[in-house]
Amino acid sequence: MLIDSSELQYLQSRNRDEVGRCFSWKGKILRAIYPEHSDFVKSLFDSGFVQELIDKNVFVESQIADYKIEGFDLVVEHKKIWPVLYPQEWTFAMLKDAAITTLTVAKIAKKYGLNMKDCHGLNILFDNTTPKFIDLGSFFSNDDQINGWFPFREFLRFYYYPLQLWGKGHSYVSKLSIFSGNLMPPSEYYLYIYPFYRYLNLDTIDKIIKLIQSLSALANMNRSKLLKLSNVIVRNAALFTKYLIAKGKIKPLSCNLDKLSNKIKGLKEKTRYTVWGEYHTGISKKERRFERIIELINDLGGIETAVDIGGNAGKFSNLILEKTPIKRVVCIDPDENSISRGYNRIKDLGKEGITFANYDFMGPIVKLSFEKPNDRFKSDIAVALALTHHLILFHGYLIDNIFEEIKSYARKYVFIEFMPLGLWVTGAEVNVPDWYNIAWFRQAFANHFTIMHEEKIAENNVIFVGKVGS
């Protein structure tokens, strides 16, 4: 079947892939392969390589399709993964799992005589709680005497360095360093880990790092490049060292992916106490309130997806999946401890249908060329429970801005709780401003949504159900 090129939607704002291009077409994800690379891509399927990756659950389900696109010789169809998470929305556990998946892909590739061009986190998508490699164009035939894993240094900068720092408590710096594919400079990593380097200038530090990584760099250089070295002594020393690496007499880390994988698996996160980290561990008393909201969701029809904003560890997200026809839920929360707890629990249970994202929906970290979270996570319903009072009374957000942000995540309906007693706990004195009352909230809600239902469901919880649009 020939696809009209005008119907294709490019999925990349820029194209660095020399193998092909990715498109969206009628809900399908297609990768069109350039003529000069079609035989190689066919060999990836014919050899059993792609199927082994799929069987090991580390690569997105893919197959050669019958479609034709002008200018390309081959079309591969990939399973569509929704939603798309970017690395800055991952937790430590997610980054660690993505690193292990990437190394598993690399080890399988080596078995088939393949190497990889790159390994950054934008080549990983989370299918529920399972990280999967998605870049078919990353592989190349390892026929140029490259002994090590080619993207080793990129792996250090994207995965190993941030994980090491994150594990030592530097979560803020680590998360920023993986922002949309940006890489941590080796010198900055060494300055953090080894304080004595701070007495040296940056040029000296760079030279030391090059020396430390020289064996891995040498393993990843092809012999033809070494033969062009003008200095005879340096050339012969490099060729002899490379010979020893090829024979396994010297084994730098770039040639020992099992050792590197074990290093990653051994990394532990140093967690700190957060106010909301344990919130869902003692929420059983609130389950009746949750049950009533579930009943209200079930009164609606045509609902398949939901986003749980401020969903903590995903308790309500779980209830949505278990007790409604909704098939997919995105649970987002700025508290890493909460998201990590939910992610690890769902992963251990092997449960599907929930994706966890760690970021602040009122102030997400975004890159201009990338799709925003509210577009990527937009769902049939948006849920915001026991949230608005914190944003209004503690953080000082305007209620209209809050409603606009929540609305941007919803296609059809919103479920938003009002807490009339404010930041109140049982037995404490109620202390809220005079303007903070249910009439004020109701009017603001009506300015943004069509009110479908309003009900007091607990002592300090009033649920508002609204329709988005006219």
Side-chain angles (χ1 to χ4, degrees), residues 6-243:
S6 65
E7 298 177 357
L8 298 172
Q9 180 182 354
Y10 291 100
L11 295 180
Q12 300 136 308
S13 58
R14 54 182 177 173
N15 185 39
R16 291 180 172 179
D17 190 350
E18 62 183 23
V19 173
R21 299 206 68 175
C22 284
F23 306 92
S24 174
W25 178 72
K26 295 185 176 180
K28 299 178 183 293
I29 304 299
L30 305 178
R31 185 184 298 269
I33 310 300
Y34 295 121
E36 61 270 28
H37 295 283
S38 60
D39 287 342
F40 173 70
V41 171
K42 286 178 183 177
S43 73
L44 298 180
F45 285 89
D46 293 341
S47 66
F49 168 62
V50 173
Q51 191 57 52
E52 181 168 348
L53 293 178
I54 295 171
D55 291 344
K56 295 287 175 62
N57 211 24
V58 294
F59 194 80
V60 62
E61 293 176 27
S62 308
Q63 61 183 358
I64 294 176
D66 293 331
Y67 303 121
K68 302 292 182 184
I69 299 175
E70 185 178 352
F72 300 92
D73 264 15
L74 187 70
V75 176
V76 174
E77 181 177 350
H78 299 299
K79 172 191 171 183
K80 185 173 183 178
I81 293 178
W82 182 88
V84 171
L85 260 65
Y86 291 141
Q88 68 268 20
E89 295 153 355
W90 299 352
T91 62
F92 175 89
M94 296 167 79
L95 182 63
K96 182 177 176 179
D97 287 347
I100 293 169
T101 289
T102 300
L103 290 172
T104 301
V105 170
K107 287 187 279 188
I108 296 172
K110 185 177 181 181
K111 186 171 75 172
Y112 285 85
L114 301 167
N115 212 315
M116 295 167 67
K117 301 170 189 173
D118 54 19
C119 65
H120 54 75
L122 294 176
N123 284 340
I124 291 282
L125 286 183
F126 275 82
D127 191 5
N128 299 300
T129 55
T130 302
K132 292 185 178 180
F133 201 82
I134 62 169
D135 187 10
L136 193 62
S138 180
F139 305 103
F140 66 92
S141 180
N142 199 29
D143 54 5
D144 203 8
Q145 299 182 13
I146 297 176
N147 305 111
W149 185 40
F150 188 73
F152 170 71
R153 283 186 287 183
E154 182 180 59
F155 181 86
L156 293 180
R157 295 174 65 188
F158 191 92
Y159 288 109
Y160 187 71
Y161 294 164
L163 282 170
Q164 280 273 23
L165 293 180
W166 209 326
K168 294 180 182 297
H170 299 290
S171 58
Y172 179 78
V173 172
S174 301
K175 196 149 195 172
L176 286 180
S177 75
I178 61 173
F179 168 42
S180 296
N182 290 339
L183 301 177
M184 177 178 289
S187 57
E188 294 196 16
Y189 166 75
Y190 277 82
L191 285 169
Y192 269 107
I193 296 297
Y194 307 109
F196 63 85
Y197 274 94
R198 298 169 192 172
Y199 295 99
L200 306 175
N201 63 55
L202 290 177
D203 289 338
T204 301
I205 295 172
D206 286 338
K207 289 176 182 178
I208 293 172
I209 293 170
K210 284 184 179 179
L211 181 62
I212 293 171
Q213 297 182 352
S214 59
L215 285 178
S216 290
L218 187 59
N220 289 342
M221 292 178 67
N222 56 60
R223 181 180 171 83
S224 60
K225 188 172 182 178
L226 293 177
L227 289 170
K228 294 178 181 178
L229 294 173
S230 57
N231 189 303
V232 176
I233 296 176
V234 173
R235 180 174 68 237
N236 289 337
L239 288 170
F240 180 66
T241 305
K242 189 168 179 63
Y243 167 79

Side-chain angles (χ1 to χ4, degrees), residues 287-321:
E287 284 200 24
R288 176 54 201 153
R289 158 180 151 248
F290 282 175
E291 291 289 351
R292 178 56 186 145
I293 299 172
I294 290 294
E295 290 172 0
L296 293 172
I297 292 175
N298 282 329
D299 288 341
L300 303 172
I303 306 298
E304 295 186 351
T305 57
V307 56
D308 188 2
I309 300 172
N312 200 263
K315 187 175 183 68
F316 188 70
S317 299
N318 267 292
L319 286 175
I320 290 175
L321 279 182

Side-chain angles (χ1 to χ4, degrees), residues 12 66 108 111 166 265 274 309 324 343 354-355 371 394 468:
Q12 300 136 308
D66 293 331
I108 296 172
K111 186 171 75 172
W166 209 326
K265 291 176 182 177
T274 60
I309 300 172
T324 78
Y343 169 81
I354 300 182
T355 300
E371 195 175 15
F394 184 78
V468 177

